[in-house]
Amino acid sequence: MLRVAVCVSGGGTNLQAIIDAIKSGKIENAQIVRVVSNNKNAYALTRAGKAGIEGICVSPRDYESRELFNRALLARLQEAEPDLIVLAGFMVAVPACVIDAFRGRIINIHPALIPSFCGKGYYGLHVHEKVLERGAKVTGATVHFVDEDLDHGPILLQKAVEVKEGDTPEVLQRRVMEEAEWILLPRAISLIAQGRVTIDESGITHISGK
Ligand code: GAR
């Protein structure tokens, strides 16, 4: 059974997609062992509670320095003994100590087709604002492994989504979630739980089997 810790910051619709996929059997062989939020008011924590999953808050505000927060975050993740950490709308730069401790075992969902519309300043609704400002006709979502560089690690899954005439950032965000994110993230966890994902020396992922 793959032990999954999920890190969140806000509404938690991606967390919900994972909870639902485990419940319906779309993801077999995995359980969420802990939800960690940097924001105590995140609705994602309520979603975790409703699903009977332990949810905790580790906020930088509760620590005197970033270093102390980083160490606390690492400790609270390690306690849960996860095999996989899923960043599902986690708006905190993952500290190097966490990346080191869980190398190759952290995935993130990004609401665009990496390497477009990613990096510093590209998070949440801002991503969709920039897509519309640039006049891109296609966007999408990406699940990738996390390394030291923002939105940079090996790409696992991607799905394109059409940008439509008259889209607002909110409308586009919702379409990207419905058509891509809520499908890709559970699928990525399922593939990893089935042991079907490898990363080669060049940092390219490969998915075995059907
Ligand atoms: C999602 O669109 C996710 O892809 C994005 O934040 C949203 C969280 O929504 N993540 C990032 O921008 C990370 N760079 P949710 O809390 O409803 O899952």
Side-chain angles (χ1 to χ4, degrees):
M1 190 65 92
L2 188 83
R3 295 173 61 82
V4 181
V6 183
C7 295
V8 296
S9 297
T13 63
N14 279 286
L15 168 67
Q16 192 66 54
I18 302 166
I19 291 170
D20 293 348
I22 291 175
K23 206 166 168 200
S24 71
K26 272 191 195 150
I27 302 176
E28 290 175 12
N29 245 347
Q31 57 171 327
I32 303 177
V33 292
R34 181 171 277 187
V35 170
V36 178
S37 174
N38 62 308
N39 164 15
K40 69 174 179 353
N41 298 317
Y43 187 66
L45 286 175
T46 306
R47 293 183 191 271
K50 283 186 180 167
I53 300 163
E54 181 196 30
I56 62 165
C57 172
V58 187
S59 166
R61 291 177 190 187
D62 297 333
Y63 297 89
E64 274 175 25
S65 69
R66 199 69 189 186
E67 182 52 34
L68 287 174
F69 163 73
N70 290 348
R71 273 194 246 156
L73 180 63
L74 175 62
R76 302 315 301 272
L77 285 167
Q78 281 174 327
E79 259 167 30
E81 301 185 343
D83 302 305
L84 180 71
I85 296 175
V86 176
L87 309 182
F90 190 52
M91 304 303 180
V92 169
V94 182
C97 61
V98 172
I99 294 171
D100 249 0
F102 294 97
R103 193 160 296 280
R105 294 189 289 147
I106 309 175
I107 59 171
N108 176 48
I109 179 99
H110 182 75
L113 292 174
I114 289 175
S116 287
F117 302 105
C118 64
K120 200 169 178 334
Y122 287 84
Y123 60 91
L125 203 57
H126 299 301
V127 177
H128 307 291
E129 285 165 4
K130 309 244 189 193
V131 166
L132 292 174
E133 271 165 34
R134 185 64 185 84
K137 303 301 179 203
V138 174
T139 183
T142 303
V143 177
H144 65 95
F145 286 93
V146 171
D147 66 11
E148 273 78 6
D149 297 319
L150 198 54
D151 299 332
H152 174 266
I155 291 170
L156 177 52
L157 295 173
Q158 292 188 299
K159 192 164 188 289
V161 173
E162 192 186 347
V163 180
K164 295 187 180 171
E165 198 63 41
D167 272 351
T168 63
E170 290 80 5
V171 166
L172 183 57
Q173 179 181 52
R174 180 77 193 182
R175 189 178 312 118
V176 169
M177 285 175 158
E178 280 177 358
E179 294 184 11
E181 296 188 48
W182 301 339
I183 298 164
L184 289 190
L185 196 53
R187 188 180 294 160
I189 296 167
S190 174
L191 288 169
I192 292 169
Q194 292 172 63
R196 290 172 57 191
V197 178
T198 51
I199 307 173
D200 71 21
E201 323 71 59
S202 314
I204 307 295
T205 64
H206 300 277
I207 299 170
S208 64
K210 46 189 171 9

